[in-house]
Amino acid sequence: MTDVSTTMPRKTARLAWLTRALIADPMALCSVIWLILVLLLIIANTSGIFAGARIDLKARNLPPFDLSFDWRLWFGADALGRPLMARLAEAALTSIGIALVTVLLSVILGTVLGLVAGYFGGLIGAAIMRASDIIMGFPTLLVALVGLYLFGPSVTNLVIVLAITRMPSYIRVARAETLEVRERLFVDAARVFGGGPFWIIRNHILPIVAPTMLTLASVNVAMVMLFESGLSYLGLGVQPPAVSWGLMIAQGQGYLSSAWWLGFFPGLAVMLTTMSFNLLANWFRIVNDPSQHWRLVRRKRQ
Amino acid sequence: MTAPLLDVRDLSKHFGAGNTPVRAVDGVSFSIAQGETLGLVGESGCGKTSLVRTLLRLNAATSGHAMLDGIDIATARGAELRTMRRKMQVVFQDPYQSLNPRMRVDRLLSEPWALHRDVLPRAEWSSEIARLLEAVGLRPEHALRYPGEFSGGQRQRLGIARALALNPSLLICDEPVSALDVSVQAQVINLLARLRRERNLAMLFVAHDLAVVRHVSDRVMVMYLGRIIETGPTKTIFSTPRHPYTQALLSAVPTPDPTQRGKRNRIVLQGDLPSPSNPPSGCRFRTRCWKATEHCAREAPALMARGPDPALLTACHHASG
Amino acid sequence: MSLLDIQDLAVSFETASGRIQALSGVSFSLERGEVLALLGESGSGKSVTASAIMDLVPNPPGSVDGGSISFDGTDLLSLTAPRRRAICGERIALIFQDALAALNPVYTVGWQIGEMFRIHRKTAGGDIEAAVVDLLNAVGIPDAVRRARQYPHEFSGGMRQRIMIAMAVALEPDIIIADEPTTALDVTIQAQIVDLLDTIRKRSGAGMIFITHDLGVVAELADRVAVMYAGRIVEQASVFELFADPRHPYSIGLLASQPRVDVETADLVPIPGSAPNPAALPSGCAFRTRCPRAQQVCADIVPTLEGAGPGRLVACHFPGPAT
Amino acid sequence: MAPIFLLRRTTLAALALLALMTATFFLVRLTGDPVDLYLPVDASRAARDAMRAQLGLDRPVVAQFFEFFVNLLRLDFGASLWHNRPAMAVVLEALPKTLALGAIALALAFALSVVVGVIAAARPGSAVDRFINVVSQAAASVPDFWLGLMCVLVFAVNLRLLPTSGFGGPAYWVLPVVCLMARPFGMLVQIIRGSMIEALNASYVRTARAKGAMEGRVGFVHALRNALLPAVTVTGDLAAQFAGGGGVVEVVFGFPGVGKLLIDGILRRDFAIVQSSIFAVAVVIFLINILVDMLYAAIDPRVKVE
Amino acid sequence: QSDSITIVVTDEPKSLDPCDTDLSNNARILRNNVTETLVNLDPANGEVVPSLATEWRQVDELTWEFKLREGVTFHDGTPFDAAAVAAALTRAGNADLACEVGLATLSGNVFTPEVVDAQTIRIKTGTVEPILPNKLSTLDIGAPSTPADAKTREPIGTGPYSLAAWNAGQNVQLVSYDGYWGDKPAIANATITWRAESAVRAAMVDTGEAQIAYEIAPQDATSANDHAFPNAETSLLRIDQSIAPLDDKRVREALNLAIDRDGLIGTIFHQDAQKAMQVVLPSVFGYNPDIAVWPYDPDKARSLLEEARAAGTAVDTEIVLYGRIGIYPNSSESMEAIQAMLLDVGFNVRLEMMETTPWLEKLIGPFPADRPPSALQTQIDNTEGDAVFTLPNRFTSGGNTSTIADPALDKLIADASAATGDERQSLFRQAFNYIAVDAINIVPLFHMVTIARVSPDLNYVPDVQAGNEIKLATMSYK
Ligand SMILES: Nc1ncnc2c1ncn2[C@@H]1O[C@H](COP(=O)(O)OP(=O)(O)OP(=O)(O)O)[C@@H](O)[C@H]1O
Ligand SMILES: Nc1ncnc2c1ncn2[C@@H]1O[C@H](COP(=O)(O)OP(=O)(O)OP(=O)(O)O)[C@@H](O)[C@H]1O
Ligand SMILES: [Mg+2]
Ligand SMILES: [Mg+2]
């Protein structure tokens, strides 16, 4: 504590510590590896490696793991004879993209509203909270349907609808945390120096609230992915010809007994990705809580 | 005699509305002169922190006034408010809570200047930070660390350094050493004493450790359940207290001298502090007082000189006895 | 044979910043009816000592690495966990600093006190209730029958500490370990609790280990004092000797840095610096970085606790009275 | 629990319910006109207009809303277009099934996750703990409808152990319950494990150990009751979600619950069904919340129901 | 039990009222099981055969007379007579009830029943009605006790089965009726249940949960127990030909030539599906056997597009393909495949798959003026056996769902509808030719088949009517 001389530049030290902590947690490490794999797949797809993934009705429902085919067909082909690998990659971009953008949108708006509601309270706070209560009370299905019906079934609209329905959780957490942080002594100290509300929110409250929001966001990426897949499964989310994992499951359902791989792989992908985000959220929590650091370290030594 | 630096008249702070508000501070009056240190002692929950926060305008006063160098703390606005903020600074009790853990020390210490742009040009911040750190016994290179990397005593020094950044004339210390170890506590007390001498600081020094208060203060106030029950020069209060509560308080402090064991005349008070939302009628101490009579229940005693020393003010009907 | 005899106790913790040697080579003993004060600043290992005796060192991250704790002739460390638990609960009792946290919030205080009987004795239900009421009366809680049915959060701080005491003395243990029982309390309440502890202990004749960093309380209560610094005992002496003539530079500094309420203190002489980082203790004597007497040998060799007069031990290469 | 408190809460809930119903009314009406869906494609324009008039859909929305509101206050939810009978009757037929399904799934998930969570918390970081961690994370992350499909494929289609879907005897409940359980189980294990570890490190558990209590007693008597609180909160939230129907799972298994009813109602533009199921579910959620609060107070005396 | 059967279909019926049997979900359960009609159509050749009516004749241009079967009773014991028929006919036409039969098959004319005696009924028509018996083959006769001014959930008919229970959301149960006038059926108890998923339905027959599963997707039709039968539906894309560039006939022809129909058959569509050129099946009166099916000729399609482009048509305008999710098995896949084929020859097409309600908005007029050029996925069925049930509403300028407004075609269809005999046939044939070849209003795809999986121990082979009728009475176990 007192005389630990830290000569290393802080950013590097932090990065090194994060890497060490990551290696110490095998589950988190696996998650990162999986996400990187998915990312590579997406990049491969967008850069056209799967080009020629055209409809080919003769290759319809080709079974997977037949290594005698072209490598693109190792995961089998879908109902229109396109390589499943390419479809999975394209769906990954939609599914993860939707989840990330949705969460980004809702985390920013939700945090801002939560900070405002928590710090100022009063009428604005009450208004924000009631509004978020009402949003929470709604069946998301209905909201999604209305949104998609009114504004057309596009990915953008899906993102907006999902972002709105996810926002309340951020508002609540940000508000609760703000209420707590607001009472801490260092906030009082800043006030004694003459810090105004925005100064305090920006410099003192936000930095404390942000890691919690980040953790929540990570969990929420997982939730949104599940949710989007559910909506798409019901035909209320991503619409063909666009494709997402959820939609692939829905489409694969028709081939449940004839070509199980059509529904199996996208479902597995949803599960692994969701799990990765959850595990990373866990890991992130531990990394951000010094009292739990020994967990990471102990594992490293074993 | 010049006007006091801080003048508090009939200040009250009640929490909660309705018929039973918590009367955390109830009609308190006192003043602090330039360069003077006033000690404030009392049991936990008696309203010390509430008073401090009201003075700092972190709470709105329920009634009464507090004037800092002619500025009414409760109503100051604009330039007046800025002046007031500059003149009065605070050191909090908990050195772990009062520094933002995610701010590096240099940002922490320069925050006052960032908020009061006219005080110090930005170019001079870093040299001034070094000076401040040295003034509180830390090293300039500490500016690059985070609060989490300091020990409790060092953090409290950081808190003090930050409070001094605007060069205030009044420093309010809310139990600045209660959370510190004995060996470190002495360092901080000495530091405060030195700074006070060097800068002619006036201080309101809040503590529940009577020994520390005795060591630090020029004058002492004893608070009980939101009221000042006795105040006077440090010497008098500690040698010949007149209020039964002050007497009990003093006698309850264990002496670090085993040879005195069993020889002192100790008064062990019975019971706990009554609830501040429903204080006893008349004298608030009467429920635990061995001298209490009918009279005490009926009438609240005024704070006034009741003995040979005119500077010792006591709020007790039986103080002269 | 002493009631409790601890030899060379070592405890360490695994943390992110490395291994912390919380205790090393701690040895002391306690006689029947004696009050031993463990004095030392925060982090010096007082609570860990108590935990080690009671088998409460959390594992992981902590572990007892060596030494022996013998109670009434049995080596506690060699016992099986259940037997050790049984002894510790019945014959050695622990009182914690923060009574609010130490009492289970979801059970009534009567139930929690009565649990002592349910765990260790086969007392009948009705008898337990009566015993609990007696205990509550004995620790000065009025209206005991009603209050036994209340929950911890319905009591004030002093009252909670009384409940902890009632629980501790329920089975009339041989040793009471009180870990800073009054630190969180006001002076007036502290006086009540110290009196109560003293009375109860005298009545039962139990030995007591009183952990504190308050010199005043030590002076009032203790027979013997062990001063701890950075996981080691640096000085052991009778309370009179220690206050009159401290030998270890740390003890000397401690006494000199304490302002007093009864006499006017001139200048305080603080110990320079602050407590060392437990994960990176200085080599040799851990106190040397703050010690005015430190020399090269202090960096090379860890001083051992050695006799420095009758019943008095000091761990310093340059022991001596204050100058 | 004071009657005043109940009254206050009920009033608040009623207000919230009115707001919810108002919003629902306008939202469902934004999803389009049911007439085309309900008449044959060959039906003439006149017939369409006639039906619109009969349903009152030709009037201004505000007028429709007013009528809806008055009827709502009389607890009259109108007739279902699809089912051709009072919508609330249809909902009340489906609701008990959904509640039973949710209750069974949650109860099992809760019981199982307490056991598993406690086992994991007993030795945090051990191999068992890590295994449980992975399994529970997987359970919490699996898309329930996909799990349903795969279960149907394996257990019904391939192994022929269980019926594929539908509603009937106990066998029909197995797969829906399992699929519905997965997520709560995963989440609850995580929570109980975490709160149990925390509770086992709490000061009062040290006290219990110091008193000489054996580990079993320490875990189950002292720690568990404290550790259950967050689990109860989450279970309450989940129960509220399940009250709205196992949604997609009900669709997958053709389980005639309120979730399927709502989804079908939305797809079929059966306004009365949508409105009455949302109403019924909101009422159930309100009751669940009260129940959870009472449970909370029963577990933790510090919590006062007020 | 050897006298019980479970049948799984796709959806729950939304009504079990006898006057709603235009809905196939309803008709499947009721028609000739619970309720019966005056006449039936022969599945083999579409000829009208007796049922509750034993004989009939056209008295004059505007009057038909039917002789009714004797000794028939409803399930509630009341006898079947002319009054019952009159009541059923009146009820079906009651606008307030919005009966499916009244709104669809019987719409466009006025029918006035006239009870001659208990066993004879005359029906007066507002305008000449050459094929009234065909129309009446869709009118199920419910008991007189059926409420005249409200829909019923408990149909009472004269059929071999009576309704035992309708467990909403679960199933409909039928039990054989002892007082039936005809032969006693072998199956005494029938349960009709529903599952949305083809694979699940198919599996249910395999697992023994059901004995018959209808509408199995082509990919699930893998066993010998799967019977494909034409279901009277024809799938197509309807071209919105009033919007550029689809107002250019060359572009419309290119659309047709770009589609590889042979490639779709046996993959996305069942191999028994027939390439179509018109929207009715050969068994329908008016079918034109002489129209040649469009070939797959992507090169010609490209050159047609080039031609159109050269002539100034905005060929590159984005054309929207409106599809409906689940309109038939593999509907999304088929549209994606078609989109790919169109893109391949140089069309700029965007696919939009919709759920039913928004799709209906695109299907049914009036259409907004500023709509984009589009082609809509749909299918047209004709179970009544005459082209008049298909053409007016879909291809005349006044038609509900028509995107063609061509006076010549309007006249052709009007004349054909009023004509009888060979003239009628020839005019209808001309009309079909005009739609497909002269106007190119449609991209015809296939005469569709439905696949039913039938438990091997059951004697049952689905016929062309199986889409509308589950002939329980004909079934038995081996
Ligand atoms: N924000 C608040 N709302 C309601 N009551 C409060 C609030 N702050 C303080 N109080 C009450 O006011 C009384 C005085 O509290 P205060 O913190 O001023 O005491 P204190 O003398 O500083 O005690 P300590 O020595 O424990 O710091 C207490 O009874 C406390 O419960
Ligand atoms: N669970 C733990 N994990 C890691 N380190 C621990 C743990 N418990 C104690 N320690 C370390 O052991 C050392 C001794 O701690 P201990 O609690 O005994 O101090 P103490 O003398 O009781 O202090 P205080 O006066 O603050 O109670 C400290 O450095 C502390 O950081
Ligand atoms: Mg305070
Ligand atoms: Mg301790």
Side-chain angles (χ1 to χ4, degrees), chain A residues 237-243 247 251, chain E residues 325 332 336 351-354:
Chain A
V238 174
Q239 307 287 327
V243 63
L247 187 63
Q251 292 176 338
Chain E
I325 299 164
S332 299
E336 281 192 67
L351 174 57
E352 203 173 291
M353 294 300 295
M354 292 180 285

Side-chain angles (χ1 to χ4, degrees), chain E residues 165-448:
Chain E
W166 178 5
N167 301 309
Q170 300 170 45
N171 56 33
V172 171
Q173 290 172 335
L174 304 181
V175 57
S176 69
Y177 167 53
D178 290 333
Y180 183 56
W181 58 270
D183 296 334
K184 191 174 167 56
I187 304 288
N189 298 294
T191 303
I192 292 108
T193 183
W194 40 86
R195 300 285 186 270
E197 278 314 312
S198 151
V200 167
R201 287 194 297 275
M204 284 173 76
V205 175
D206 296 339
T207 61
E209 284 175 65
Q211 281 69 48
I212 307 177
Y214 285 101
E215 279 164 62
I216 305 297
Q219 59 270 18
D220 291 322
T222 48
S223 80
N225 304 325
D226 297 321
H227 305 268
F229 57 91
N231 60 6
E233 297 272 6
T234 306
S235 56
L236 68 148
L237 303 183
R238 184 196 67 184
I239 302 172
D240 189 351
Q241 66 181 62
S242 47
I243 307 282
L246 295 174
D247 54 354
D248 186 320
K249 188 178 161 189
R250 286 166 293 213
V251 177
R252 301 201 294 274
E253 186 175 348
L255 276 182
N256 269 303
L257 294 173
I259 289 171
D260 178 9
R261 292 177 175 76
D262 288 311
L264 291 170
I265 285 190
T267 53
I268 292 172
F269 292 87
H270 192 265
Q271 62 206 23
D272 291 351
Q274 298 296 318
K275 280 185 281 181
M277 202 50 210
Q278 50 200 313
V279 296
V280 295
L281 265 62
S283 60
V284 169
F285 187 83
Y287 175 84
N288 187 341
D290 303 327
I291 316 175
V293 171
W294 289 110
Y296 174 47
D297 193 346
D299 295 330
K300 179 150 185 231
R302 278 186 205 105
S303 63
L304 278 172
L305 276 183
E306 275 320 306
E307 244 176 71
R309 191 195 313 277
T313 304
V315 174
D316 297 323
T317 316
E318 183 184 76
I319 298 169
V320 191
L321 286 182
Y322 291 121
R324 187 183 126 195
I325 299 164
I327 188 170
Y328 39 74
N330 300 344
S331 68
S332 299
E333 286 92 328
S334 67
M335 290 306 279
E336 281 192 67
I338 286 173
Q339 182 196 23
M341 293 166 184
L342 294 180
L343 286 172
D344 203 35
V345 299
F347 277 103
N348 175 11
V349 281
R350 175 167 64 84
L351 174 57
E352 203 173 291
M353 294 300 295
M354 292 180 285
E355 51 121 357
T356 310
T357 302
W359 175 83
L360 281 169
E361 278 176 15
K362 306 287 182 211
L363 175 72
I364 301 172
F367 306 109
D370 59 346
R371 60 193 189 275
S374 68
L376 178 107
Q377 175 188 31
T378 181
Q379 60 177 358
I380 293 175
D381 79 332
N382 186 323
T383 52
E384 294 88 347
D386 191 284
V388 77
F389 296 104
T390 298
L391 289 177
N393 220 346
R394 292 181 174 80
F395 297 101
T396 62
S397 36
N400 248 346
T401 62
S402 169
T403 52
I404 182 169
D406 186 333
L409 183 60
D410 288 354
K411 181 170 184 318
L412 201 55
I413 293 176
D415 289 349
S417 304
T420 53
D422 289 346
E423 187 196 357
R424 184 179 177 92
Q425 182 157 42
S426 136
L427 287 172
F428 273 137
R429 284 183 176 178
Q430 284 176 41
F432 281 121
N433 193 61
Y434 192 89
I435 293 165
V437 183
D438 300 328
I440 317 189
N441 180 237
I442 53 175
V443 180
L445 294 172
F446 305 104
H447 299 306
M448 305 289 280

Side-chain angles (χ1 to χ4, degrees), chain B residues 43-44 151 181-183 186-187 189-190 210-212 214-215 238 249-250 252-258 261 264 266 268-272 288, chain C residues 41-42 156 186 188-192 195 213 216 219-222 239-240 243 257-262 265-266 268 270-274 290:
Chain B
E43 274 178 278
S44 179
S151 70
D181 267 316
V182 192
S183 67
Q187 297 173 358
I189 292 174
N190 282 359
L210 292 161
V212 171
R214 172 170 199 170
H215 184 79
F238 281 88
L249 211 54
L250 283 174
V253 180
T255 341
D257 184 355
R261 198 188 280 185
R264 288 192 307 138
R266 292 184 58 204
V268 177
L269 287 178
Q270 295 309 306
D272 298 324
R288 296 166 82 190
Chain C
E41 55 195 299
S42 191
S156 70
D186 276 310
T188 58
I189 311 292
Q190 168 177 314
Q192 294 173 4
D195 275 7
H213 54 236
E220 298 246 304
L221 208 61
V239 68
F240 298 102
F243 278 83
S257 59
Q258 180 92 332
R260 287 180 63 162
V261 77
D262 52 343
T265 27
L268 301 180
I271 304 173
S274 53
R290 303 170 74 185

